[in-house]
Amino acid sequence: MAGRRARSAIAAFALGAVTLGAAGCAAPSPADDENIVLELWDTDTRPARAENLEKLIDMFEAENPNITIEYLGLPTDSYMQKISTAIATNSTPDLLTPKASDIAALVAQEALASLDERFEEGGWGDEIDPSMVESSKAASPDGSLYLTPATSLADVIYYRPDLFEAAGLDAPESWDDFFADAVELTDPATGQFGYTIRGGAGFFSQFVQMVYPQAGIDTFFLEDGTSTLDDPAVVEATQRYVDLYRKATAESDLTADFKVMVAQFGSGSTGMLSHSVGSYPDHVKALGADAVAAVVPFPSEDGEYVLTGRMTTGFAMFEASEHQDAAWKFLEFTMSEEGNSFWAEASGYIPGNLAVQSEPWVAENPAIAVAAEAGSSPDATVLQQPFHLPEFNSITSTDMLPQWQAVLQGDLSVEDFLGDAAEALTDAQQRYLASQ
């Protein structure tokens, strides 16, 4: 790992120089027997993830000795600023781990290389889960493939079986159970709460997870582009969810982000947590496998079964890379049985490779197992978030976050909060429809 850390330091220095146009400028592609150096920027830098990604790179380099990949972890709260600067100065790296919500903005800047032709020629359509391919394409405004369908997330509700047993409670099986259990598990005098609500950065994903399935709404937009965010059923579900704040959650949850929520759950101060299957390894590391269980969000009162968070995650290639053939080799490796199996299991994600989906570890991960079972139900509908809208990320994070915190504090009504956001999303979707 010493060599990897040295290469990362070199990449970090290069990032600091992007404003001078000095970083990420690869040399002309050499012959096959000459060394090629690629740069990979990661937008979700966490210690365990960085370690796993460096192991994945080591595996790839062992099979491709003429290709070296320099890894660089970007700050999770400002990575798009770094990437935009690199695009503007024509100093992008070769590879990126973008979020699905970033694709529209990057495509609008013509920054990413389309992968459709290479994907088809490589025969990957027969080896990768077609639903993940569809999800990857749905994230882009032009319907092309820019993100490898390497892995996928899915939303679950984690709970502590030990805390439930101590309180004489069974695992929740309905929304009524969930809300009642959250209150029953709460004892402010001892610092224990039934649930941790995400009031801080990244709140929207958990908000959707806990509101849309309750409401039984399985689409963000009607056919005419009208947002469903202010649908009466969504308003009612949101109010019920907001009412948990301070009643069954810590007051400090007003600014809680992912790291805070995981820490609370791992310390035993929280009985339930909403998040994706990707955080399961973190919970097991903190608590042990026996102290972590998961269920998927429940059907609505009308019996509608809406699944959320089915977001594809993967790798992308910059259009300006001068070593696209070598970069594509790495992208292929992340979808191959060897690379996909390691990366998906280490990350706690659902593998995109169909052969890997049958490996024993997939069934042995309870978060993935319950998500997969729910996904196979003929009664379930997947709610696809509109990542194809360039404005979606800014509306649901920059604009909505302070308003969400105002709602939790009682300074803004749920109706006004959802009405304002629905209007902005409707405008964005109708502009998109008109452009098509």
Side-chain angles (χ1 to χ4, degrees), residues 41-235:
W41 288 2
D42 183 26
T43 65
D44 188 15
T45 307
R46 289 173 278 123
R49 174 184 165 90
E51 182 178 351
N52 290 331
L53 188 47
E54 289 180 345
K55 288 179 180 178
L56 180 69
I57 292 171
D58 286 337
M59 293 167 62
F60 170 78
E61 290 178 344
E63 297 184 10
N64 298 272
N66 69 313
I67 302 176
T68 299
I69 298 181
E70 306 284 9
Y71 165 83
L72 178 65
L74 302 182
T76 55
D77 58 350
S78 60
Y79 67 87
M80 279 301 291
Q81 179 181 348
K82 302 289 188 183
I83 294 170
S84 296
T85 299
I87 294 171
T89 57
N90 195 30
S91 55
T92 53
D94 304 276
L95 298 161
L96 183 70
T97 63
K99 298 176 177 62
S101 56
D102 302 328
I103 297 298
L106 293 172
V107 170
Q109 298 178 77
E110 300 181 348
L112 299 182
S114 173
L115 307 177
D116 290 283
E117 184 175 344
R118 292 177 185 268
F119 188 85
E120 182 178 351
E121 290 178 351
W124 290 103
D126 297 327
E127 299 187 37
I128 302 299
D129 189 323
S131 67
M132 294 191 192
V133 178
E134 180 183 355
S135 178
S136 288
K137 291 184 175 182
S140 66
D142 60 5
S144 295
L145 185 68
Y146 295 95
L147 178 71
T148 57
T151 52
S152 177
L153 295 172
D155 287 335
V156 295
I157 299 173
Y158 293 101
Y159 67 95
R160 294 282 305 271
D162 52 342
L163 299 182
F164 271 71
E165 183 178 355
L169 299 173
D170 294 326
E173 297 180 351
S174 68
W175 287 112
D176 286 344
D177 287 348
F178 166 78
F179 284 101
D181 292 347
V183 174
E184 184 68 22
L185 289 167
T186 298
D187 184 2
T190 62
Q192 180 173 307
F193 298 92
Y195 182 68
T196 174
I197 198 167
R198 191 165 184 169
F203 89 94
F204 192 74
S205 57
Q206 269 69 70
F207 166 82
V208 169
Q209 173 185 357
M210 301 303 287
V211 169
Y212 267 78
Q214 269 195 82
I217 304 295
D218 61 10
T219 180
F220 267 94
F221 297 105
L222 303 179
E223 289 187 7
D224 65 354
T226 301
S227 171
T228 59
L229 198 59
D230 59 352
D231 183 284
V234 175
V235 173

Side-chain angles (χ1 to χ4, degrees), residues 314-329:
F315 299 79
M317 176 168 59
F318 277 99
E319 180 65 42
S321 170
E322 296 185 12
H323 300 303
Q324 290 196 8
D325 289 344
W328 174 246
K329 280 189 176 182

Side-chain angles (χ1 to χ4, degrees), residues 367-389:
I368 291 179
V370 297
E373 181 181 0
S376 65
S377 170
D379 300 323
T381 304
V382 175
L383 175 69
Q384 297 284 1
Q385 295 201 39
F387 296 127
H388 62 274
L389 297 176

Side-chain angles (χ1 to χ4, degrees), residues 149-407:
T151 52
S152 177
L153 295 172
D155 287 335
V156 295
I157 299 173
Y158 293 101
Y159 67 95
R160 294 282 305 271
D162 52 342
L163 299 182
F164 271 71
E165 183 178 355
L169 299 173
D170 294 326
E173 297 180 351
S174 68
W175 287 112
D176 286 344
D177 287 348
F178 166 78
F179 284 101
D181 292 347
V183 174
E184 184 68 22
L185 289 167
T186 298
D187 184 2
T190 62
Q192 180 173 307
F193 298 92
Y195 182 68
T196 174
I197 198 167
R198 191 165 184 169
F203 89 94
F204 192 74
S205 57
Q206 269 69 70
F207 166 82
V208 169
Q209 173 185 357
M210 301 303 287
V211 169
Y212 267 78
Q214 269 195 82
I217 304 295
D218 61 10
T219 180
F220 267 94
F221 297 105
L222 303 179
E223 289 187 7
D224 65 354
T226 301
S227 171
T228 59
L229 198 59
D230 59 352
D231 183 284
V234 175
V235 173
E236 181 180 355
T238 301
Q239 187 63 64
R240 191 181 189 190
Y241 186 52
V242 167
D243 288 343
L244 281 179
Y245 180 61
R246 294 194 185 103
K247 182 179 181 181
T249 78
E251 187 171 358
S252 60
D253 279 1
L254 180 67
T255 58
D257 59 9
F258 166 72
K259 293 180 181 178
V260 172
M261 295 161 62
V262 170
Q264 290 175 343
F265 188 72
S267 69
S269 63
T270 295
M272 291 185 287
L273 163 72
S274 305
H275 203 255
S276 73
V277 297
S279 60
Y280 177 73
D282 294 322
H283 307 318
V284 171
K285 184 177 181 179
L287 299 166
D290 293 340
V292 183
V295 294
V296 294
F298 317 100
S300 69
E301 290 184 0
D302 296 333
E304 296 292 332
Y305 199 11
V306 180
L307 304 179
T308 64
R310 304 279 161 150
M311 182 177 71
T312 300
T313 61
F315 299 79
M317 176 168 59
F318 277 99
E319 180 65 42
S321 170
E322 296 185 12
H323 300 303
Q324 290 196 8
D325 289 344
W328 174 246
K329 280 189 176 182
F330 178 74
L331 297 187
E332 286 192 301
F333 184 72
T334 68
M335 296 185 289
S336 69
E337 285 191 48
E338 179 187 3
N340 196 245
S341 179
F342 168 78
W343 178 240
E345 183 176 10
S347 304
Y349 296 167
I350 301 171
N353 188 294
L354 294 171
V356 177
Q357 290 182 1
S358 300
E359 292 182 358
W361 70 264
V362 176
E364 294 167 0
N365 181 313
I368 291 179
V370 297
E373 181 181 0
S376 65
S377 170
D379 300 323
T381 304
V382 175
L383 175 69
Q384 297 284 1
Q385 295 201 39
F387 296 127
H388 62 274
L389 297 176
E391 307 94 333
F392 180 70
N393 208 26
S394 61
I395 291 172
T396 58
S397 56
T398 305
D399 298 343
M400 291 183 69
L401 176 57
Q403 291 185 321
W404 170 243
Q405 293 174 334
V407 169

